[in-house]
Structure formats: C-alpha cells, structure tokens
Amino acid sequence: MAKKTTKAVRLPTRKPGIERYSRIVLAAESLILEAGSLEGITLEAVAKRANVPRVSLYYFFDSVESLFDALYQRGIQRMIAELPQAPESADWRDTMLLYIDGVRDFYLKNRVEMILALLPISLGSVNQVSQDFGKALFQLLHGRGLVPKTRQVMLACEMCSELADLVWRKSLIEKGTLTPLYTREAKRVVIAYLDSVLAD
C-alpha cells in the first residue's frame, strides 16, 4: 500500500498568522488532553475550539494527521533537548538507563507528547516515533563513543525506542500513566536487547 503523503506544514510568518497558529496548537492540545487519546479529534473540532475558520486550519495543515505530526515533531525536539547528560564515566548501560528515566520524566510532565508518542493513530506513526528517537539515541550513544557506528547498532537503537514505548504504551492503556513497575520492565527489556546486539 502506498504511503499517504501530506504537504509540509506551513508555518506563519506574520503576527496574525502566528497568533492563529498558536490558538490552533493550543486547541488541539486541549482536545488531546480531554480525550486522553487522538481518536475522534477532527480539524473541525480544533477549529471550533480555537475559534478560527476551518479554512485557517487547512492553510497550515492538510489533515488532522499533519497537525498531530507537527505537534509530535515539536515534542520530540523538546524531549531530545531535555534529555539529561550522562557523566563522562558512564558506560552505555548507565547512559541508556539515564535516558530511559529522562524520557519517562518528559512524558510524565508533558502528557500531550506522551499521548502523541504512545497512542498514535497509525502504525506509520509508531514507526516514525521509533525511527526519530532511535536515530537521536544512536547519535547520542555513538557521539560519546559508547557504541560502534554500524547500521545494525543504529537499527537496534530504533528497536530499543520501540521496545520501551511498547512497555509504556501498555502501562498508559492499563494504568493511565507510566508506572514504576512498567518503567523497570522497559529498562530490563531495552538493556537485555541492546546487550545481545552489542555482544554479536
């Protein structure tokens, strides 16, 4: 099946457009928080909540998916920027544990981003989350000289992202939040998997 393509998000450059765009983003975030998921959120509902004409949304976003993607991209950039820095003496395991805690803390403080990442509306979105964070994780680990620069390790970092998200997705669905028990399990699974890849 061909991948559905969406046009790039058009960012505003003038004050009225910037204000309208901000109202749209805030309205979408409030609807996501109220629903606790992305299901059932439409551009019409966002336009109504933002008190803007629906055509304004279509100026910036060609679909509700492109709106969610813009919110997600903004969130992932913030999350990566907020990841804690591991001490120079940390090995890859300690660094991964620190990053897992950092992602969990970010999600717990930013529920919209947690919903966007863990309860996406499509498998394509799930894959994109894993790829984006996996690449960032690989760059962080390789940049510190903790893992070799190979395609296998880069793909393993993507899988580590997906494994942690799978465990956290289950926690969010069953418990409504990311619990310590599920976080311990996410750490165990990620460390065991990456250890097996690096041992090869």
Side-chain angles (χ1 to χ4, degrees):
M1 175 179 279
K3 182 180 177 186
K4 181 181 175 185
T5 58
T6 58
K7 70 178 181 181
V9 173
R10 186 183 295 181
L11 295 175
T13 57
R14 296 187 180 156
K15 188 175 180 179
I18 292 169
E19 290 171 356
R20 187 171 296 138
Y21 185 88
S22 294
R23 288 200 328 256
I24 291 167
V25 166
L26 290 173
E29 289 177 338
S30 73
L31 288 169
I32 291 168
L33 286 173
E34 282 176 20
S37 75
L38 305 179
E39 291 182 37
I41 297 175
T42 64
L43 287 180
E44 293 79 14
V46 174
K48 184 175 180 180
R49 176 69 57 94
N51 197 25
V52 299
R54 193 168 49 184
V55 71
S56 293
L57 268 82
Y58 287 109
Y59 178 80
F60 298 115
F61 310 101
D62 68 343
S63 66
V64 73
E65 290 84 6
S66 66
L67 171 59
F68 293 156
D69 187 57
L71 294 173
Y72 163 73
Q73 291 298 330
R74 184 187 65 168
I76 195 98
Q77 290 170 1
R78 283 183 42 228
M79 179 174 58
I80 291 168
E82 291 180 22
L83 282 176
Q85 293 298 312
E88 288 297 318
S89 61
D91 65 6
W92 72 263
R93 286 175 190 83
D94 292 335
T95 302
M96 283 295 291
L97 294 173
L98 185 68
Y99 289 161
I100 290 169
D101 284 338
V103 171
R104 181 211 52 222
D105 293 346
F106 179 84
Y107 283 161
L108 290 173
K109 289 187 294 187
N110 300 281
R111 190 157 179 89
V112 168
E113 284 80 359
M114 179 170 56
I115 291 167
L116 287 162
L118 300 181
L119 302 175
I121 55 174
S122 72
L123 291 176
S125 298
V126 170
N127 191 48
Q128 192 64 51
V129 169
S130 297
Q131 286 179 347
D132 291 345
F133 190 71
K135 286 176 186 170
L137 179 61
F138 175 73
Q139 290 170 353
L140 290 167
L141 291 173
H142 176 69
R144 298 195 61 226
L146 300 174
V147 297
K149 186 177 184 178
T150 66
R151 177 144 175 80
Q152 180 185 14
V153 174
M154 186 180 77
L155 291 174
C157 287
E158 289 179 22
M159 287 298 298
C160 286
S161 172
E162 181 59 24
L163 289 168
D165 282 355
L166 279 170
V167 174
W168 282 333
R169 188 172 298 119
K170 184 171 177 60
S171 181
L172 182 58
I173 290 168
E174 291 181 0
K175 306 296 183 185
T177 191
L178 306 184
T179 67
L181 174 67
Y182 280 98
T183 297
R184 281 192 302 276
E185 187 62 15
K187 289 177 180 181
R188 187 187 69 74
V189 169
V190 166
I191 295 299
Y193 174 71
L194 193 53
D195 194 35
S196 72
V197 170
L198 293 173
D200 281 347

